[in-house]
């Protein structure tokens, strides 16, 4: 068991700002080219880091944190949305197919319709395919034999 000062850090992860959080409270990980955000099950932001390239604030650094969080609870796994984004299966209440003028893709909602994840997918047919794959993964989690959605063959078309 790692010890940081007098704080026992088992089950915890250290964030870029050096604070510690319990890995299992994270419901969503959203990573973009310039930022890294962790959301709780209620949709509240637990942590935000601007990826500046400084020590501790690089994509590689936050990927290590994501891996620690992602691998923390095998009984409540996180569903990979690709591009460094994850959503905890138990936090997903709905997957919404959205084809608006500003955003086309899948919106993943948690309790009280809070957005906890998204996938930008312009093509309606691809959105349906990915939504079905995500739905199958959620069903496998509910049945106790989680299987990660594999839409890597569609990846180039998803993240446009």
């Amino acid at each position: 068991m790692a010890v940081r000062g007098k704080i026992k850090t088992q089950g915890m992860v250290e964030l870029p700002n050096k604070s510690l959080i319990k890995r299992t409270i994270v419901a969503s990980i959203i990573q973009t080219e310039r930022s890294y955000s962790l959301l709780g099950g209620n949709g509240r932001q637990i942590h935000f880091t601007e990826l500046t390239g400084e020590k501790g604030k690089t994509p590689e650094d936050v990927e290590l944190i994501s891996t620690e969080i992602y691998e923390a609870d095998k009984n409540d796994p996180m569903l990979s949305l690709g591009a460094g984004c994850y959503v905890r299966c138990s936090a997903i209440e709905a997957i919404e197919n959205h084809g608006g003028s500003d955003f086309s893709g899948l919106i993943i909602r948690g309790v009280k319709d809070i957005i906890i994840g998204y996938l930008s997918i312009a093509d309606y047919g691809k959105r349906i395919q990915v939504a079905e794959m995500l739905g199958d993964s959620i069903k496998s989690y509910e049945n106790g034999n989680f299987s990660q959605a594999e839409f890597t063959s569609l990846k180039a078309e998803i993240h446009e």
Side-chain angles (χ1 to χ4, degrees):
M1 172 169 46
V3 177
R4 182 177 176 238
K6 292 189 177 191
I7 301 171
K8 295 180 181 179
T9 60
Q10 184 175 10
M12 307 284 273
V13 64
E14 186 174 320
L15 302 174
N17 65 1
K18 303 298 182 204
S19 65
L20 293 172
I21 62 164
K22 197 169 182 178
R23 294 182 293 212
T24 55
I25 68 165
V26 176
S28 178
I29 301 170
I30 301 171
Q31 182 178 343
T32 67
E33 290 177 17
R34 295 183 297 216
S35 66
Y36 181 74
S37 181
L38 303 175
L39 304 178
N42 58 2
R44 295 192 100 156
Q45 187 167 282
I46 297 169
H47 176 76
F48 177 83
T49 296
E50 188 176 338
L51 301 179
T52 60
E54 298 171 31
K55 184 179 179 188
K57 295 182 179 185
T58 68
E60 295 80 18
D61 294 326
V62 296
E63 284 172 22
L64 291 173
I65 295 168
S66 292
T67 300
E68 280 191 57
I69 294 168
Y70 177 81
E71 295 177 351
D73 190 354
K74 299 298 181 190
N75 294 321
D76 191 5
M78 296 193 87
L79 188 56
S80 174
L81 303 178
C85 298
Y86 300 89
V87 178
R88 195 164 304 281
C89 288
S90 64
I92 299 171
E93 295 286 324
I95 298 173
E96 178 183 318
N97 186 344
H98 186 75
S101 59
D102 293 338
F103 172 80
S104 292
L106 298 174
I107 298 173
I108 296 146
R109 295 191 181 269
V111 293
K112 298 183 182 177
D113 284 336
I114 294 171
I115 296 172
I116 57 173
Y118 59 89
L119 278 169
S120 179
I121 309 171
D123 181 79
Y124 177 79
K126 300 294 182 204
R127 287 197 305 267
I128 296 298
Q129 279 183 288
V130 172
E132 287 174 358
M133 291 177 193
L134 294 174
D136 290 344
S137 285
I138 293 167
K139 285 178 193 168
S140 73
Y141 156 71
E142 291 170 347
N143 293 329
N145 58 345
F146 178 66
S147 174
Q148 190 69 251
E150 290 295 330
F151 44 86
T152 52
S153 62
L154 302 173
K155 188 174 182 179
E157 298 168 50
I158 290 175
H159 301 287
E160 298 176 338

